[in-house]
Amino acid sequence: QQPVQSPQAVILREGEDAVINCSSSKALYSVHWYRQKHGEAPVFLMILLKGGEQKGHEKISASFNEKKQQSSLYLTASQLSYSGTYFCGPSWGKLQFGAGTQVVVTP
Amino acid sequence: NAGVTQTPKFRVLKTGQSMTLLCAQDMNHEYMYWYRQDPGMGLRLIHYSVGEGTTAKGEVPDGYNVSRLKKQNFLLGLESAAPSQTSVYFCASSYSGGVSYEQYFGPGTRLTVT
């Protein structure tokens, strides 16, 4: 039942792009994305809602395919500050988080 | 504005001991949550509350109890700690339900049960 995230880990050089995918076995109302740096609390990045509405605090792009029950997070022109573990949280009423994707951005 | 705070930050318990973790938020949020985080498992919901005086079970509620006597506080109790409860515990809050409102997390409590 836990959403499936892929890849499990990715290593990037500064300036490179990456895509993190999140798949659910259930129909979704929304998808949340959070980033957690080592030893810190998860921090909200974005919510994608049915119908295309998005709420976010940062300049990060994401997509939400309701029919396929999938969401993707796009890390474009990655910066060192993008390093961390990214969690998706598909919601069908309650949030359930994926296991996370570890992203390491190197100079 | 402190956001979400958790007490204590670290704790070591012996098997069978009890303890209470305190979560406080100053954002006047209705919803509060307790998660545990284990390596490779992500965040798993233990219990949550949709308002003062109400609580509900999440994915992994066994061995835990919660109370929300005041809107700003959410307590997580372990009555008889077990080594399987060794984890990092995060409290979170949101203005309203989890579908379209972001959650704000506290700094976490690292609990070790020996």
Side-chain angles (χ1 to χ4, degrees):
Chain A
Q1 281 195 345
Q2 187 179 30
V4 177
Q5 286 186 234
S6 63
Q8 286 185 320
V10 59
I11 300 175
L12 300 166
R13 290 199 173 182
E14 253 185 310
E16 290 183 339
D17 302 337
V19 180
I20 301 171
N21 299 302
C22 176
S23 298
S24 171
S25 60
K26 296 184 178 184
L28 304 176
Y29 297 120
S30 69
V31 177
H32 293 219
W33 286 96
Y34 293 78
R35 179 173 61 210
Q36 183 180 30
K37 293 188 180 286
H38 183 69
E40 299 181 6
V43 174
F44 168 74
L45 292 177
M46 176 171 289
I47 294 175
L48 299 100
L49 301 168
K50 283 183 77 169
E53 186 181 348
Q54 296 185 3
K55 287 173 58 176
H57 292 322
E58 295 195 15
K59 294 179 181 178
I60 288 180
S61 63
S63 63
F64 179 23
N65 188 320
E66 300 161 21
K67 287 185 179 178
K68 291 186 177 180
Q69 297 163 191
Q70 291 178 344
S71 178
S72 296
L73 188 72
Y74 305 97
L75 303 179
T76 306
S78 59
Q79 304 171 17
L80 295 176
S81 62
Y82 287 7
S83 291
T85 302
Y86 289 76
F87 294 99
C88 73
S91 174
W92 46 86
K94 280 183 292 189
L95 215 56
Q96 186 169 22
F97 288 96
T101 295
Q102 187 176 8
V103 172
V104 176
V105 181
T106 62
Chain B
N1 218 3
V4 180
T5 58
Q6 291 182 232
T7 309
K9 289 187 169 48
F10 302 93
R11 187 71 188 267
V12 178
L13 287 180
K14 293 187 176 180
T15 298
Q17 289 184 321
S18 63
M19 77 163 294
T20 301
L21 280 66
L22 171 63
C23 175
Q25 52 94 6
D26 61 2
M27 296 175 283
N28 202 33
H29 284 173
E30 287 295 333
Y31 281 56
M32 296 186 74
Y33 315 82
W34 275 108
Y35 294 92
R36 60 176 291 171
Q37 185 174 39
D38 303 296
M41 299 292 291
L43 293 152
R44 292 185 292 169
L45 183 65
I46 304 171
H47 286 281
Y48 64 102
S49 167
V50 303
E52 182 178 315
T54 69
T55 62
K57 294 180 180 180
E59 294 174 69
V60 289
D62 293 342
Y64 305 95
N65 57 74
V66 289
S67 64
R68 185 132 179 240
L69 300 179
K70 292 183 178 181
K71 185 177 183 178
Q72 63 268 33
N73 296 337
F74 195 27
L75 278 63
L76 178 72
L78 286 73
E79 289 184 346
S80 179
S84 60
Q85 294 178 304
T86 293
S87 187
V88 180
Y89 292 85
F90 286 100
C91 174
S93 71
S94 63
Y95 176 75
S96 185
V99 176
S100 55
Y101 291 92
E102 62 268 35
Q103 296 188 14
Y104 293 82
F105 285 82
T109 295
R110 186 173 295 275
L111 175 66
T112 302
V113 183
T114 61

